[in-house]
């Protein structure tokens, strides 16, 4: 019965809206706003009931996972940054970054020093990939692409772009997957997403100019979280 009443009200509101737009007489416009006000009142009632519910049911309160208050957001952001940096430093032996660039790429000129500083800040191996054979004044560690990108499944790469390399999690002798866990600042253990390819995994994580924090965030999301749990 309640669903039927909702469908009837929705149809009336939709009809009133069309009439008010197509034939905006005072009566039609008033009818639409009266129904719209009723819809807003119902939405307000739902919103109020929802907040009263989550106040007493922390398990349903999403803001505990992703705060919305200014103080909560600040604390969450600081904890998140500490966790990302700790995570990246602890897995630095097993991951690295390929930086794809070319000479006639204006964004590459902006992004190259950012990538260099990122490598220094996090002590993470960054290897440049020159698409056109050009050098890079900010990277000593680079090689010229001679088909490597295509072998990784990347044709006509956008420049600049960042690829994440992760060493294999598969034991070459037994074939078993070796789990890797990292303990974060709140003593929480995070299991690193495994690489199931024997020769390691290369993943495209972004193209264009990015801030250092954005690179770290993408690596953290890809390796330390599961789809849907941190969004």
């Amino acid at each position: 019965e309640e669903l039927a009443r909702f469908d009837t009200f929705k149809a009336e509101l939709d009809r009133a809206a069309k009439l008010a737009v197509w034939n905006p007489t005072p009566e039609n416009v008033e009818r639409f706003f009266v129904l719209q006000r009723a819809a807003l009142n119902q939405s307000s009632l739902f919103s109020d009931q929802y907040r009263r519910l989550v106040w007493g049911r922390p398990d349903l309160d999403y803001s505990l996972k992703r705060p919305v208050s200014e103080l909560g957001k600040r604390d969450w952001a600081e904890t998140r940054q500490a966790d990302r940096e700790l995570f990246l430093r602890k897995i630095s032996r097993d991951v690295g970054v390929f930086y794809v660039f070319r000479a006639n790429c204006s964004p590459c000129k902006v992004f190259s020093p950012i990538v260099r500083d990122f490598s220094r800040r996090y002590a993470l191996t960054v290897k440049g990939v020159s698409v056109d054979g050009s050098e890079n004044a900010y990277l000593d560690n680079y090689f010229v692409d001679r088909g490597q990108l295509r072998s990784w499944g990347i044709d006509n790469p956008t420049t600049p772009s960042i690829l994440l390399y992760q060493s294999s999690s598969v034991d070459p002798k037994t074939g078993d997957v070796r789990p890797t866990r990292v303990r974060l600042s709140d003593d929480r253990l995070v299991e690193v997403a495994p690489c199931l390819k024997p020769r390691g995994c290369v993943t495209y994580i972004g193209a264009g100019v990015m801030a250092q924090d954005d690179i770290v965030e993408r690596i953290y999301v890809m390796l330390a979280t599961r789809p849907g749990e941190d969004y």
Side-chain angles (χ1 to χ4, degrees):
E1 181 182 351
E2 291 179 342
L3 291 178
R5 289 169 56 193
F6 173 78
D7 289 338
T8 299
F9 176 81
K10 184 179 178 182
E12 290 180 3
L13 179 60
D14 183 60
R15 181 174 182 274
K18 292 177 180 177
L19 284 173
V21 172
W22 189 250
N23 185 21
T25 64
E27 294 78 15
N28 286 343
V29 173
E30 180 183 0
R31 173 65 176 166
F32 166 66
F33 275 99
V34 168
L35 291 173
Q36 187 186 51
R37 179 68 262 182
L40 290 173
N41 288 341
Q42 199 66 25
S43 296
S44 297
L45 176 60
F46 166 78
S47 180
D48 190 25
Q49 291 284 29
Y50 170 76
R51 69 172 183 170
R52 292 167 187 261
L53 173 66
V54 297
W55 285 347
R57 288 285 305 276
D59 58 307
L60 298 179
D61 190 354
Y62 185 75
S63 66
L64 295 179
K65 181 178 181 181
R66 187 65 63 90
V68 295
S69 68
E70 196 62 35
L71 287 175
K73 286 191 291 186
R74 187 185 308 166
D75 177 69
W76 182 89
E78 291 174 354
T79 301
R80 176 75 163 205
Q81 182 176 1
D83 284 345
R84 291 184 316 182
E85 296 195 8
L86 183 61
F87 178 82
L88 201 58
R89 294 183 188 283
K90 288 190 175 182
I91 65 169
S92 59
R93 292 185 178 181
D94 296 320
V95 301
V97 166
F98 288 112
Y99 169 54
V100 184
F101 67 91
R102 70 174 75 238
N104 60 346
C105 162
S106 296
C108 295
K109 297 176 182 178
V110 177
F111 197 29
S112 291
I114 296 175
V115 173
R116 177 202 60 191
D117 294 343
F118 164 80
S119 176
R120 292 175 178 175
R121 177 179 176 182
Y122 295 100
L124 197 70
T125 299
V126 174
K127 182 171 289 189
V129 184
S130 175
V131 174
D132 58 356
S134 61
E135 298 181 351
N136 191 305
Y138 296 95
L139 293 176
D140 295 328
N141 188 9
Y142 74 92
F143 64 90
V144 178
D145 176 39
R146 303 190 188 281
Q148 293 94 331
L149 292 175
R150 178 169 294 180
S151 69
W152 297 338
I154 301 171
D155 294 318
N156 300 318
T158 300
T159 54
S161 58
I162 293 290
L163 312 177
L164 174 66
Y165 171 79
Q166 182 183 8
S167 59
S168 178
S169 303
V170 180
D171 190 310
K173 296 181 179 180
T174 64
D176 296 333
V177 177
R178 299 186 298 263
T180 301
R181 297 179 179 86
V182 174
R183 191 174 298 278
L184 300 181
S185 57
D186 58 357
D187 210 35
R188 176 170 52 97
L189 275 177
V190 171
E191 185 165 336
V192 181
C195 169
L196 304 180
K197 295 182 179 180
R199 295 186 178 181
C201 300
V202 177
T203 308
Y204 217 135
I205 64 170
V209 178
M210 293 178 279
Q212 291 185 42
D213 285 346
D214 196 13
I215 301 174
V216 177
E217 174 70 8
R218 296 186 186 201
I219 295 175
Y220 181 81
V221 169
M222 294 293 291
L223 297 183
T225 70
R226 300 297 176 265
E229 73 176 15
D230 184 58
Y231 193 77

